Amino acid sequence: MDTKDPSKTNVEYHEDATLGKALHHNVDARIRNPLSGLSTTELQDQVDAFCGKYGFEEKSETFQKAALVAQLPDEFESIPSLDEDDKHWLRMETTRMVVTSSTGRYLADLSPDKWKLPWTMYMCIGIVSIGSAIQGWDNTGANGANLSFPTEFGIEDRHWLVGCINAAPTLFGLLSAWAADPVNQLLGRRGTIFATNLFVVFPVLGQAFTHNWYELLICRLFMGLGMGIKISTIPVYSAEVAPANIRGGMVTSFQLWVAFGILVGFSSNLIFMNIGPLAWRYQLGAAFAPAVPLMALIWFCPESPRWLIKK
C-alpha cells in the first residue's frame, strides 16, 4: 500500500516537470549554479557543516569567501567580506567582465592581462614540460640506433622484428594508458609523474647495456609502461593548475614540448652518429639525462587542487 503524502507527490512532480521544461528550453546549454538562490545565512551554514565534517575549521573564513565568490562569480567586487587583496587576485584570473549599459549587459575583454599570473603556475608548467620533452626524445632515439643495433644483434634481415622493437614503447604505452585513472587516483598527479618517470630513467639507460635483441625489447616495453600513463597525466595536471582563461594554451603546450623533445632527440642522434659501433647505445641511452632532474623537481610543484578536492 502506498503511504506517500499525495500533496508531496504532486509537489515533487510539479518541480520535476518544471525542471524538465527549463532544461528543454535551455538553448544556451548553461548549467545552473547550485549555490544560486541560497541566502547568505544558508550558504554560511553549509560551509560551516562542510568544514566541521572534514576538519577545516581553521580555514572556515577562507571557505566562506570562496562560497560567496562561487555563488556570484561575476559580482565579486560587491562582496563586502572580500578585502582588496582578495579582489586583486580574483581580477588577475578574469579575462572578461560583465558590464551593464543602458542597452543591456555585455562582455568587456580584459585579455591583455591574462598572462599576468603567479610565477608558481609557470614553474609547474615548466617542470612538467620536461616530461613532455622526454616523451619526444624517447620516441626518436631509435631512429639513429636503427643504423647499427640490428647488425650487432644479427637481425638486420628481420625487418618485422626491428619494427616491433622500435614500436614497443608505443604498443605497450597504448595498453598502459588505460591504467592512468586508477594510478592517478592512488598516487595523485605528482606521484604519478614521479613513478612513471622511473620508467624513462632505468629502462632507457638499460637499453645502452643490452646484449641481445630481446633484452632491448624488454627495456623498451618497460619504457612504454611509464610513457603511456605519463602522457595522459601531464596535460591533465597542466589543465588543473592553470586558470580557465589560459588553460587551452597550457594544455596544448604539451605537444609543443613533445616536438621540442623530438628535435633534441634527432640532434642527439647526429651528435653520436659517427663515434663508432657503440653509437646506437649512446643514442638510445642519452634520453635518461633530463629525466633525472625531473624526479626531484616534480616535488617542488604543488599537488593538483582538483585532485585534492576529490580526495
Side-chain angles (χ1 to χ4, degrees), residues 104-147:
R105 305 175 77 194
Y106 63 92
L107 294 175
D109 194 357
L110 303 177
S111 56
D113 293 328
K114 69 179 181 180
W115 298 105
K116 189 177 180 182
L117 294 166
W119 69 269
T120 311
M121 192 277 296
Y122 291 110
M123 178 196 73
C124 293
I125 300 298
I127 289 174
V128 299
S129 294
I130 298 174
S132 306
I134 294 168
Q135 198 86 7
W137 192 342
D138 286 333
N139 286 331
T140 54
N143 292 80
N146 281 338
L147 300 176

Short mmCIF file of all heavy atoms in Angstrom, two decimals, residues 104-147:
data_model
loop_
_atom_site.label_atom_id
_atom_site.label_comp_id
_atom_site.label_asym_id
_atom_site.label_seq_id
_atom_site.Cartn_x
_atom_site.Cartn_y
_atom_site.Cartn_z
N GLY A 104 21.78 47.01 -22.06
CA GLY A 104 21.85 45.64 -21.56
C GLY A 104 23.23 45.29 -21.06
O GLY A 104 24.08 46.16 -20.86
N ARG A 105 23.49 43.99 -20.87
CA ARG A 105 24.77 43.52 -20.35
C ARG A 105 25.63 42.99 -21.49
O ARG A 105 25.12 42.36 -22.42
CB ARG A 105 24.56 42.43 -19.30
CG ARG A 105 23.64 42.86 -18.16
CD ARG A 105 23.38 41.72 -17.22
NE ARG A 105 24.51 41.48 -16.35
CZ ARG A 105 24.66 40.38 -15.61
NH1 ARG A 105 23.76 39.44 -15.66
NH2 ARG A 105 25.71 40.23 -14.84
N TYR A 106 26.91 43.25 -21.43
CA TYR A 106 27.80 42.74 -22.47
C TYR A 106 29.14 42.39 -21.81
O TYR A 106 29.39 42.72 -20.65
CB TYR A 106 28.00 43.76 -23.59
CG TYR A 106 28.67 45.04 -23.17
CD1 TYR A 106 30.05 45.19 -23.25
CD2 TYR A 106 27.92 46.11 -22.66
CE1 TYR A 106 30.66 46.37 -22.85
CE2 TYR A 106 28.53 47.28 -22.27
CZ TYR A 106 29.89 47.42 -22.37
OH TYR A 106 30.50 48.56 -21.98
N LEU A 107 30.00 41.70 -22.55
CA LEU A 107 31.28 41.26 -22.04
C LEU A 107 32.38 42.21 -22.50
O LEU A 107 32.54 42.45 -23.70
CB LEU A 107 31.59 39.84 -22.53
CG LEU A 107 30.68 38.74 -22.00
CD1 LEU A 107 31.02 37.42 -22.67
CD2 LEU A 107 30.82 38.61 -20.50
N ALA A 108 33.12 42.73 -21.56
CA ALA A 108 34.28 43.57 -21.88
C ALA A 108 35.53 42.70 -21.83
O ALA A 108 35.75 41.98 -20.86
CB ALA A 108 34.39 44.72 -20.89
N ASP A 109 36.34 42.74 -22.87
CA ASP A 109 37.52 41.89 -22.96
C ASP A 109 38.68 42.51 -22.19
O ASP A 109 39.06 43.65 -22.43
CB ASP A 109 37.90 41.70 -24.44
CG ASP A 109 38.90 40.57 -24.63
OD1 ASP A 109 39.32 39.99 -23.61
OD2 ASP A 109 39.25 40.27 -25.78
N LEU A 110 39.23 41.75 -21.25
CA LEU A 110 40.39 42.20 -20.47
C LEU A 110 41.59 41.31 -20.75
O LEU A 110 42.47 41.14 -19.92
CB LEU A 110 40.06 42.16 -18.97
CG LEU A 110 38.85 42.98 -18.54
CD1 LEU A 110 38.60 42.79 -17.06
CD2 LEU A 110 39.02 44.44 -18.87
N SER A 111 41.64 40.70 -21.93
CA SER A 111 42.64 39.68 -22.25
C SER A 111 44.10 40.13 -22.18
O SER A 111 44.96 39.29 -21.99
CB SER A 111 42.36 39.09 -23.63
OG SER A 111 42.32 40.10 -24.61
N PRO A 112 44.46 41.42 -22.35
CA PRO A 112 45.88 41.77 -22.26
C PRO A 112 46.54 41.36 -20.95
O PRO A 112 47.76 41.20 -20.89
CB PRO A 112 45.86 43.29 -22.43
CG PRO A 112 44.65 43.56 -23.25
CD PRO A 112 43.64 42.55 -22.76
N ASP A 113 45.78 41.19 -19.88
CA ASP A 113 46.37 40.85 -18.59
C ASP A 113 46.30 39.35 -18.28
O ASP A 113 46.65 38.94 -17.18
CB ASP A 113 45.65 41.61 -17.47
CG ASP A 113 45.90 43.10 -17.54
OD1 ASP A 113 47.00 43.49 -17.98
OD2 ASP A 113 45.00 43.84 -17.16
N LYS A 114 45.85 38.55 -19.24
CA LYS A 114 45.57 37.15 -18.89
C LYS A 114 46.82 36.34 -18.58
O LYS A 114 46.74 35.31 -17.93
CB LYS A 114 44.77 36.48 -20.01
CG LYS A 114 45.54 36.25 -21.30
CD LYS A 114 44.64 35.56 -22.30
CE LYS A 114 45.36 35.28 -23.61
NZ LYS A 114 44.48 34.61 -24.58
N TRP A 115 47.99 36.79 -19.05
CA TRP A 115 49.21 36.04 -18.79
C TRP A 115 49.93 36.53 -17.52
O TRP A 115 50.97 36.01 -17.16
CB TRP A 115 50.17 36.16 -19.98
CG TRP A 115 49.59 35.59 -21.24
CD1 TRP A 115 49.09 36.27 -22.30
CD2 TRP A 115 49.41 34.20 -21.54
NE1 TRP A 115 48.62 35.41 -23.26
CE2 TRP A 115 48.81 34.13 -22.82
CE3 TRP A 115 49.71 33.01 -20.88
CZ2 TRP A 115 48.49 32.92 -23.44
CZ3 TRP A 115 49.41 31.80 -21.49
CH2 TRP A 115 48.80 31.77 -22.75
N LYS A 116 49.36 37.54 -16.87
CA LYS A 116 49.97 38.06 -15.64
C LYS A 116 49.47 37.23 -14.47
O LYS A 116 48.49 37.55 -13.80
CB LYS A 116 49.59 39.53 -15.47
CG LYS A 116 50.35 40.22 -14.34
CD LYS A 116 49.97 41.69 -14.27
CE LYS A 116 50.70 42.40 -13.14
NZ LYS A 116 50.32 43.82 -13.03
N LEU A 117 50.18 36.13 -14.22
CA LEU A 117 49.77 35.14 -13.23
C LEU A 117 50.94 34.80 -12.31
O LEU A 117 52.10 35.11 -12.62
CB LEU A 117 49.25 33.89 -13.94
CG LEU A 117 47.96 34.07 -14.75
CD1 LEU A 117 47.75 32.90 -15.67
CD2 LEU A 117 46.77 34.25 -13.82
N PRO A 118 50.69 34.16 -11.17
CA PRO A 118 51.78 33.82 -10.24
C PRO A 118 52.86 32.96 -10.92
O PRO A 118 52.55 32.08 -11.72
CB PRO A 118 51.05 33.03 -9.14
CG PRO A 118 49.65 33.51 -9.19
CD PRO A 118 49.36 33.79 -10.63
N TRP A 119 54.10 33.24 -10.57
CA TRP A 119 55.21 32.53 -11.19
C TRP A 119 55.17 31.04 -10.85
O TRP A 119 55.70 30.20 -11.61
CB TRP A 119 56.54 33.13 -10.72
CG TRP A 119 56.84 32.88 -9.27
CD1 TRP A 119 56.52 33.67 -8.21
CD2 TRP A 119 57.53 31.75 -8.71
NE1 TRP A 119 56.94 33.12 -7.04
CE2 TRP A 119 57.58 31.94 -7.30
CE3 TRP A 119 58.12 30.61 -9.24
CZ2 TRP A 119 58.17 31.03 -6.45
CZ3 TRP A 119 58.73 29.69 -8.39
CH2 TRP A 119 58.75 29.91 -7.01
N THR A 120 54.53 30.69 -9.72
CA THR A 120 54.45 29.27 -9.34
C THR A 120 53.73 28.46 -10.40
O THR A 120 54.10 27.32 -10.67
CB THR A 120 53.73 29.12 -7.99
OG1 THR A 120 54.28 30.02 -7.05
CG2 THR A 120 53.85 27.70 -7.47
N MET A 121 52.69 29.04 -11.00
CA MET A 121 51.96 28.33 -12.03
C MET A 121 52.85 28.06 -13.24
O MET A 121 52.89 26.94 -13.78
CB MET A 121 50.72 29.14 -12.43
CG MET A 121 49.71 28.38 -13.30
SD MET A 121 50.09 28.36 -15.05
CE MET A 121 49.98 30.11 -15.44
N TYR A 122 53.61 29.06 -13.64
CA TYR A 122 54.52 28.87 -14.77
C TYR A 122 55.65 27.90 -14.42
O TYR A 122 56.12 27.15 -15.29
CB TYR A 122 55.09 30.22 -15.21
CG TYR A 122 54.08 31.12 -15.85
CD1 TYR A 122 53.63 32.27 -15.21
CD2 TYR A 122 53.54 30.81 -17.10
CE1 TYR A 122 52.68 33.09 -15.80
CE2 TYR A 122 52.59 31.63 -17.69
CZ TYR A 122 52.17 32.76 -17.04
OH TYR A 122 51.22 33.57 -17.62
N MET A 123 56.08 27.91 -13.16
CA MET A 123 57.10 26.95 -12.73
C MET A 123 56.58 25.52 -12.89
O MET A 123 57.29 24.63 -13.38
CB MET A 123 57.49 27.21 -11.28
CG MET A 123 58.52 26.22 -10.74
SD MET A 123 58.65 26.24 -8.93
CE MET A 123 57.13 25.41 -8.46
N CYS A 124 55.33 25.29 -12.47
CA CYS A 124 54.73 23.95 -12.59
C CYS A 124 54.66 23.51 -14.04
O CYS A 124 55.02 22.37 -14.38
CB CYS A 124 53.33 23.94 -11.98
SG CYS A 124 53.30 24.17 -10.20
N ILE A 125 54.20 24.41 -14.91
CA ILE A 125 54.11 24.06 -16.33
C ILE A 125 55.49 23.78 -16.90
O ILE A 125 55.69 22.84 -17.69
CB ILE A 125 53.42 25.19 -17.12
CG1 ILE A 125 52.01 25.45 -16.58
CG2 ILE A 125 53.39 24.87 -18.60
CD1 ILE A 125 51.08 24.28 -16.71
N GLY A 126 56.48 24.58 -16.51
CA GLY A 126 57.83 24.38 -17.00
C GLY A 126 58.42 23.05 -16.56
O GLY A 126 59.08 22.35 -17.35
N ILE A 127 58.18 22.67 -15.32
CA ILE A 127 58.74 21.41 -14.82
C ILE A 127 58.10 20.21 -15.51
O ILE A 127 58.80 19.29 -15.96
CB ILE A 127 58.57 21.33 -13.29
CG1 ILE A 127 59.51 22.33 -12.61
CG2 ILE A 127 58.85 19.92 -12.78
CD1 ILE A 127 59.33 22.45 -11.11
N VAL A 128 56.77 20.20 -15.60
CA VAL A 128 56.15 19.04 -16.25
C VAL A 128 56.43 19.03 -17.75
O VAL A 128 56.35 17.97 -18.39
CB VAL A 128 54.63 19.00 -15.99
CG1 VAL A 128 54.35 18.86 -14.50
CG2 VAL A 128 53.91 20.21 -16.56
N SER A 129 56.79 20.19 -18.31
CA SER A 129 57.15 20.23 -19.73
C SER A 129 58.44 19.46 -19.99
O SER A 129 58.67 19.00 -21.12
CB SER A 129 57.30 21.67 -20.21
OG SER A 129 56.05 22.34 -20.17
N ILE A 130 59.28 19.31 -18.97
CA ILE A 130 60.46 18.46 -19.12
C ILE A 130 60.01 17.03 -19.45
O ILE A 130 60.59 16.36 -20.31
CB ILE A 130 61.31 18.47 -17.84
CG1 ILE A 130 61.82 19.88 -17.55
CG2 ILE A 130 62.49 17.50 -17.96
CD1 ILE A 130 62.56 20.00 -16.22
N GLY A 131 58.96 16.58 -18.75
CA GLY A 131 58.42 15.25 -19.04
C GLY A 131 57.89 15.14 -20.45
O GLY A 131 58.01 14.10 -21.09
N SER A 132 57.30 16.22 -20.96
CA SER A 132 56.81 16.22 -22.34
C SER A 132 57.97 16.11 -23.32
O SER A 132 57.91 15.34 -24.29
CB SER A 132 56.03 17.50 -22.62
OG SER A 132 55.00 17.70 -21.67
N ALA A 133 59.04 16.86 -23.06
CA ALA A 133 60.20 16.81 -23.95
C ALA A 133 60.85 15.43 -23.92
O ALA A 133 61.31 14.92 -24.95
CB ALA A 133 61.21 17.89 -23.54
N ILE A 134 60.89 14.81 -22.74
CA ILE A 134 61.45 13.46 -22.63
C ILE A 134 60.66 12.49 -23.50
O ILE A 134 61.22 11.60 -24.15
CB ILE A 134 61.44 13.00 -21.16
CG1 ILE A 134 62.40 13.85 -20.32
CG2 ILE A 134 61.81 11.52 -21.04
CD1 ILE A 134 62.24 13.65 -18.83
N GLN A 135 59.35 12.69 -23.52
CA GLN A 135 58.49 11.84 -24.33
C GLN A 135 58.91 11.88 -25.81
O GLN A 135 59.02 10.85 -26.47
CB GLN A 135 57.04 12.31 -24.19
CG GLN A 135 56.00 11.30 -24.60
CD GLN A 135 55.65 10.36 -23.46
OE1 GLN A 135 56.10 10.55 -22.33
NE2 GLN A 135 54.88 9.35 -23.75
N GLY A 136 59.15 13.09 -26.31
CA GLY A 136 59.58 13.22 -27.70
C GLY A 136 60.97 12.67 -27.94
O GLY A 136 61.22 12.01 -28.97
N TRP A 137 61.88 12.88 -27.00
CA TRP A 137 63.26 12.39 -27.14
C TRP A 137 63.28 10.87 -27.15
O TRP A 137 63.96 10.25 -27.97
CB TRP A 137 64.10 12.94 -26.01
CG TRP A 137 65.59 12.77 -26.17
CD1 TRP A 137 66.24 11.91 -27.01
CD2 TRP A 137 66.62 13.48 -25.48
NE1 TRP A 137 67.60 12.03 -26.89
CE2 TRP A 137 67.87 12.99 -25.95
CE3 TRP A 137 66.62 14.46 -24.51
CZ2 TRP A 137 69.07 13.46 -25.48
CZ3 TRP A 137 67.83 14.95 -24.03
CH2 TRP A 137 69.05 14.45 -24.51
N ASP A 138 62.52 10.25 -26.25
CA ASP A 138 62.48 8.78 -26.20
C ASP A 138 61.96 8.20 -27.51
O ASP A 138 62.37 7.10 -27.91
CB ASP A 138 61.59 8.32 -25.04
CG ASP A 138 62.26 8.51 -23.69
OD1 ASP A 138 63.50 8.50 -23.64
OD2 ASP A 138 61.54 8.68 -22.69
N ASN A 139 61.05 8.91 -28.15
CA ASN A 139 60.46 8.39 -29.38
C ASN A 139 61.40 8.46 -30.57
O ASN A 139 61.19 7.75 -31.57
CB ASN A 139 59.18 9.17 -29.72
CG ASN A 139 58.03 8.79 -28.82
OD1 ASN A 139 57.96 7.68 -28.33
ND2 ASN A 139 57.12 9.72 -28.59
N THR A 140 62.44 9.31 -30.50
CA THR A 140 63.32 9.50 -31.65
C THR A 140 64.68 8.84 -31.49
O THR A 140 65.43 8.74 -32.45
CB THR A 140 63.54 10.99 -31.93
OG1 THR A 140 64.01 11.63 -30.72
CG2 THR A 140 62.26 11.66 -32.35
N GLY A 141 65.01 8.36 -30.28
CA GLY A 141 66.32 7.74 -30.08
C GLY A 141 66.53 6.54 -30.98
O GLY A 141 67.66 6.28 -31.44
N ALA A 142 65.46 5.81 -31.24
CA ALA A 142 65.59 4.60 -32.05
C ALA A 142 65.88 4.90 -33.51
O ALA A 142 66.37 4.03 -34.25
CB ALA A 142 64.31 3.75 -31.94
N ASN A 143 65.56 6.12 -33.95
CA ASN A 143 65.79 6.44 -35.37
C ASN A 143 67.25 6.34 -35.76
O ASN A 143 67.59 5.79 -36.81
CB ASN A 143 65.27 7.85 -35.67
CG ASN A 143 63.76 7.94 -35.58
OD1 ASN A 143 63.21 8.04 -34.48
ND2 ASN A 143 63.07 7.90 -36.70
N GLY A 144 68.12 6.90 -34.91
CA GLY A 144 69.54 6.79 -35.20
C GLY A 144 70.08 5.41 -34.89
O GLY A 144 70.95 4.88 -35.60
N ALA A 145 69.57 4.78 -33.81
CA ALA A 145 70.06 3.46 -33.41
C ALA A 145 69.74 2.39 -34.44
O ALA A 145 70.42 1.35 -34.50
CB ALA A 145 69.45 3.08 -32.06
N ASN A 146 68.73 2.61 -35.27
CA ASN A 146 68.36 1.64 -36.30
C ASN A 146 69.50 1.35 -37.27
O ASN A 146 69.52 0.31 -37.93
CB ASN A 146 67.16 2.14 -37.10
CG ASN A 146 65.86 1.93 -36.38
OD1 ASN A 146 65.77 1.08 -35.51
ND2 ASN A 146 64.86 2.72 -36.73
N LEU A 147 70.43 2.28 -37.37
CA LEU A 147 71.52 2.12 -38.32
C LEU A 147 72.53 1.08 -37.89
O LEU A 147 73.30 0.59 -38.71
CB LEU A 147 72.23 3.47 -38.53
CG LEU A 147 71.36 4.62 -39.08
CD1 LEU A 147 72.16 5.91 -39.13
CD2 LEU A 147 70.82 4.25 -40.46
#
